[in-house]
Amino acid sequence: MAGECIFCKIAAGEVPAEKIYEDDSLIAFLDISPISPGHTLIIPKRHYSRLDECPEEVIGDLASKLGLIAGAVAQAGDYAGYNIFCNTGRAAGQVVDHVHFHIVGRHPGDKVFDRWPSGRYEEGRMEEMAGKIRKTLSGP
Ligand code: AMP
Ligand code: ZN
C-alpha cells in the first residue's frame, strides 16, 4: 500500500534519505545497506509495486537516467563497472514493494555476485517459450 510504503515516504520527504538526484518524476538515493559504497536506488515518485505495472512513460523516465546516475556512481567510487537490476516479486528477492532499480558499483574480482547458474533447453522448449511470450506480447 502506498500509504505505508517506505519509498513513498522518502519520495515525500517524510523519511530521510541520502538523495543524489531528483526531478519531477523520480528520485535516486543511497541504499541504506549497501552492497558496495554508493549503491543507489532509483525510484518513481508515484507508487507502483512492480515494473510490469508501471506505465511506459514512467519506465521511460527511469531508464533515461540510469546511464547518467550509474556513470556518476562509477566515477565517485572509481568503479570499473556496475550492475543494474530490478528485483520483482518475492521469488526474485523484492522486499520493498515500490518499483526500484539498484545500481551497484563493481571492482574486478570483488566477488559481490557470482555468475548465476546457466541451464540448457530441452528439445523444442526454447521455441515453445518464445511462442508463449510472443503470444502474450501480441495481446488478447
Ligand atoms: P529489494 O526490494 O530487495 O530490491 O531491495 C530493497 C532495498 O531497499 C534494500 O537493498 C534495502 O537496503 C533498501 N532500503 C530499505 N529501506 C531503506 C531506506 N529507508 N533507505 C534506503 N534504502 C532502503
Ligand atoms: Zn511506494
Side-chain angles (χ1 to χ4, degrees):
M1 278 293 292
E4 298 143 22
C5 171
I6 184 73
F7 287 180
C8 281
K9 289 181 177 165
I10 288 174
E14 293 165 14
V15 164
E18 199 65 58
K19 285 185 205 172
I20 57 166
Y21 182 88
E22 180 171 10
D23 64 25
D24 287 347
S25 67
L26 62 89
I27 177 172
F29 54 94
L30 298 191
D31 195 297
I32 205 165
S33 304
I35 296 172
S36 64
H39 178 174
T40 292
L41 302 173
I42 176 168
I43 69 168
K45 286 185 172 174
R46 288 176 60 191
H47 181 93
Y48 302 96
S49 296
R50 297 168 59 97
L51 186 66
D52 49 279
E53 293 170 355
C54 275
E56 283 186 1
E57 61 272 20
V58 173
I59 300 175
D61 287 346
L62 286 175
S64 73
K65 298 300 176 201
L66 285 174
L68 175 77
I69 297 171
V73 170
Q75 195 171 327
D78 202 20
Y79 290 111
Y82 48 80
N83 293 101
I84 296 179
F85 55 95
C86 175
N87 298 332
T88 302
R90 293 286 175 273
Q94 185 176 14
V95 173
V96 177
D97 289 334
H98 181 129
V99 69
H100 53 280
F101 284 89
H102 294 257
I103 300 172
V104 179
R106 300 294 306 275
H107 292 303
D110 61 13
K111 295 203 164 54
V112 160
F113 300 111
D114 283 333
R115 190 80 189 163
W116 50 83
S118 51
R120 292 179 72 83
Y121 284 106
E122 286 172 23
E123 185 69 28
R125 189 84 173 112
M126 189 175 185
E127 295 79 358
E128 184 192 333
M129 279 305 295
K132 282 186 183 174
I133 297 167
R134 277 193 291 267
K135 193 172 169 203
T136 304
L137 287 174
S138 65

